[in-house]
Amino acid sequence: MRRRNFRILAALSLAFALEAHAAQAGSQRPIIGQWCGVDDYVINVADDDIFFHPRRGFYSPPAIDVSVGSDRAAYSQRYESLQVTVSCTLVVTGTQAATETCDNPEDSFYPKQGETAELHRCMPKLEPSV
Protein backbone atom coordinates (compact mmCIF):
# COMPACT_ATOMS: atom_id res chain seq x y z
CA MET A 1 0.00 0.00 0.00
CA ARG A 2 2.85 2.39 0.84
CA ARG A 3 4.50 1.70 -2.48
CA ARG A 4 1.26 2.49 -4.35
CA ASN A 5 0.81 5.73 -2.39
CA PHE A 6 4.42 6.67 -3.13
CA ARG A 7 3.84 6.11 -6.87
CA ILE A 8 0.73 8.26 -6.79
CA LEU A 9 2.56 11.03 -4.93
CA ALA A 10 5.52 10.79 -7.32
CA ALA A 11 3.21 10.99 -10.34
CA LEU A 12 1.38 14.01 -8.89
CA SER A 13 4.67 15.73 -8.07
CA LEU A 14 5.88 15.17 -11.62
CA ALA A 15 2.61 16.50 -13.04
CA PHE A 16 2.85 19.68 -10.97
CA ALA A 17 6.50 20.13 -11.90
CA LEU A 18 5.69 19.71 -15.61
CA GLU A 19 2.82 22.17 -15.32
CA ALA A 20 5.02 24.73 -13.54
CA HIS A 21 7.76 24.28 -16.14
CA ALA A 22 5.27 24.67 -18.99
CA ALA A 23 3.77 27.77 -17.38
CA GLN A 24 7.20 29.34 -16.94
CA ALA A 25 8.35 28.40 -20.44
CA GLY A 26 4.95 29.37 -21.84
CA SER A 27 5.31 32.93 -20.59
CA GLN A 28 8.54 33.23 -22.56
CA ARG A 29 7.59 30.99 -25.50
CA PRO A 30 3.84 30.33 -25.65
CA ILE A 31 4.25 27.27 -27.88
CA ILE A 32 6.09 25.31 -25.14
CA GLY A 33 3.85 22.89 -23.26
CA GLN A 34 1.20 20.29 -23.93
CA TRP A 35 -1.58 20.66 -26.51
CA CYS A 36 -4.64 18.38 -26.73
CA GLY A 37 -7.04 17.66 -29.56
CA VAL A 38 -9.74 15.09 -30.24
CA ASP A 39 -9.55 11.39 -29.34
CA ASP A 40 -6.70 11.77 -26.83
CA TYR A 41 -4.45 13.48 -29.41
CA VAL A 42 -1.65 15.12 -27.40
CA ILE A 43 1.46 16.98 -28.58
CA ASN A 44 4.22 17.87 -26.11
CA VAL A 45 6.33 20.79 -27.33
CA ALA A 46 9.72 21.17 -25.64
CA ASP A 47 12.45 23.76 -26.22
CA ASP A 48 13.80 21.93 -29.26
CA ASP A 49 11.73 18.77 -29.73
CA ILE A 50 8.19 17.45 -30.06
CA PHE A 51 6.77 14.28 -28.53
CA PHE A 52 3.40 12.57 -28.94
CA HIS A 53 1.42 10.93 -26.16
CA PRO A 54 0.48 7.38 -27.25
CA ARG A 55 -3.11 7.09 -28.44
CA ARG A 56 -5.10 3.89 -28.34
CA GLY A 57 -5.24 2.36 -31.81
CA PHE A 58 -3.00 4.93 -33.54
CA TYR A 59 0.69 5.05 -34.33
CA SER A 60 2.63 8.31 -34.19
CA PRO A 61 6.21 8.08 -35.39
CA PRO A 62 8.71 10.39 -33.71
CA ALA A 63 8.93 13.99 -34.89
CA ILE A 64 11.88 14.79 -37.15
CA ASP A 65 13.20 18.05 -38.60
CA VAL A 66 11.78 19.90 -35.60
CA SER A 67 11.86 23.69 -35.42
CA VAL A 68 10.41 25.36 -32.31
CA GLY A 69 9.91 29.12 -32.31
CA SER A 70 8.15 31.50 -29.98
CA ASP A 71 4.57 30.94 -31.11
CA ARG A 72 4.91 28.13 -33.67
CA ALA A 73 6.55 24.78 -34.19
CA ALA A 74 7.15 22.86 -37.40
CA TYR A 75 7.95 19.17 -37.67
CA SER A 76 7.72 16.13 -39.90
CA GLN A 77 6.86 12.49 -39.28
CA ARG A 78 8.01 9.57 -41.43
CA TYR A 79 5.56 6.69 -41.82
CA GLU A 80 7.90 3.98 -43.15
CA SER A 81 5.23 1.37 -43.81
CA LEU A 82 3.37 3.84 -46.06
CA GLN A 83 6.53 5.40 -47.52
CA VAL A 84 5.12 8.81 -46.56
CA THR A 85 6.57 11.85 -44.78
CA VAL A 86 4.02 14.29 -43.37
CA SER A 87 5.02 17.85 -42.48
CA CYS A 88 3.02 19.82 -39.91
CA THR A 89 2.89 23.27 -38.36
CA LEU A 90 1.50 24.01 -34.90
CA VAL A 91 0.64 27.69 -34.32
CA VAL A 92 -0.52 29.39 -31.11
CA THR A 93 -3.75 31.31 -31.76
CA GLY A 94 -4.55 32.38 -28.19
CA THR A 95 -3.41 31.89 -24.61
CA GLN A 96 -5.07 28.45 -24.46
CA ALA A 97 -5.53 27.66 -28.18
CA ALA A 98 -3.48 26.50 -31.14
CA THR A 99 -4.06 25.09 -34.60
CA GLU A 100 -2.23 22.34 -36.44
CA THR A 101 -2.09 21.91 -40.21
CA CYS A 102 -0.33 19.13 -42.11
CA ASP A 103 0.37 18.27 -45.74
CA ASN A 104 -1.29 14.88 -45.41
CA PRO A 105 -1.46 12.79 -48.56
CA GLU A 106 -4.76 11.13 -47.59
CA ASP A 107 -7.67 11.36 -45.14
CA SER A 108 -6.42 8.61 -42.82
CA PHE A 109 -4.18 11.12 -41.00
CA TYR A 110 -5.12 13.67 -38.32
CA PRO A 111 -5.81 16.41 -39.08
CA LYS A 112 -7.34 15.29 -42.35
CA GLN A 113 -6.05 16.61 -45.65
CA GLY A 114 -7.01 20.27 -46.11
CA GLU A 115 -8.33 20.62 -42.55
CA THR A 116 -7.02 22.43 -39.49
CA ALA A 117 -7.03 20.76 -36.08
CA GLU A 118 -8.12 22.93 -33.15
CA LEU A 119 -6.01 22.21 -30.07
CA HIS A 120 -6.15 23.54 -26.52
CA ARG A 121 -3.58 23.73 -23.75
CA CYS A 122 -4.08 20.82 -21.39
CA MET A 123 -2.80 19.39 -18.14
CA PRO A 124 0.31 17.24 -18.50
CA LYS A 125 -0.55 13.62 -19.17
CA LEU A 126 1.90 11.15 -17.72
CA GLU A 127 3.12 8.08 -19.55
CA PRO A 128 1.34 5.00 -18.22
CA SER A 129 3.52 2.89 -15.92
CA VAL A 130 3.50 -0.80 -16.62
Side-chain angles (χ1 to χ4, degrees), residues 5-130:
N5 287 341
F6 177 75
R7 284 184 183 170
I8 291 170
L9 287 174
L12 287 173
S13 296
L14 179 59
F16 288 128
L18 288 171
E19 185 177 1
H21 174 71
Q24 180 184 17
S27 64
Q28 299 164 5
R29 294 172 63 192
I31 194 71
I32 304 295
Q34 195 166 75
W35 298 94
C36 294
V38 298
D39 298 328
D40 294 325
Y41 183 68
V42 179
I43 301 174
N44 294 298
V45 181
D47 288 332
D48 59 357
D49 208 353
I50 292 177
F51 307 94
F52 302 92
H53 192 270
R55 295 189 310 158
R56 196 175 329 192
F58 295 95
Y59 170 70
S60 290
I64 55 174
D65 301 326
V66 175
S67 170
V68 178
S70 173
D71 63 350
R72 69 181 50 235
Y75 66 93
S76 297
Q77 289 176 282
R78 177 74 182 157
Y79 293 84
E80 291 297 335
S81 63
L82 300 173
Q83 300 284 312
V84 171
T85 300
V86 175
S87 297
C88 300
T89 304
L90 179 68
V91 179
V92 173
T93 58
T95 57
Q96 300 295 317
T99 58
E100 181 185 34
T101 55
C102 300
D103 65 352
N104 299 333
E106 56 188 67
D107 283 345
S108 63
F109 291 89
Y110 174 79
K112 291 184 178 179
Q113 185 178 24
E115 293 184 0
T116 300
E118 302 290 329
L119 303 170
H120 63 277
R121 189 162 310 273
C122 51
M123 291 291 293
K125 295 180 186 289
L126 301 174
E127 295 294 323
S129 63
V130 181

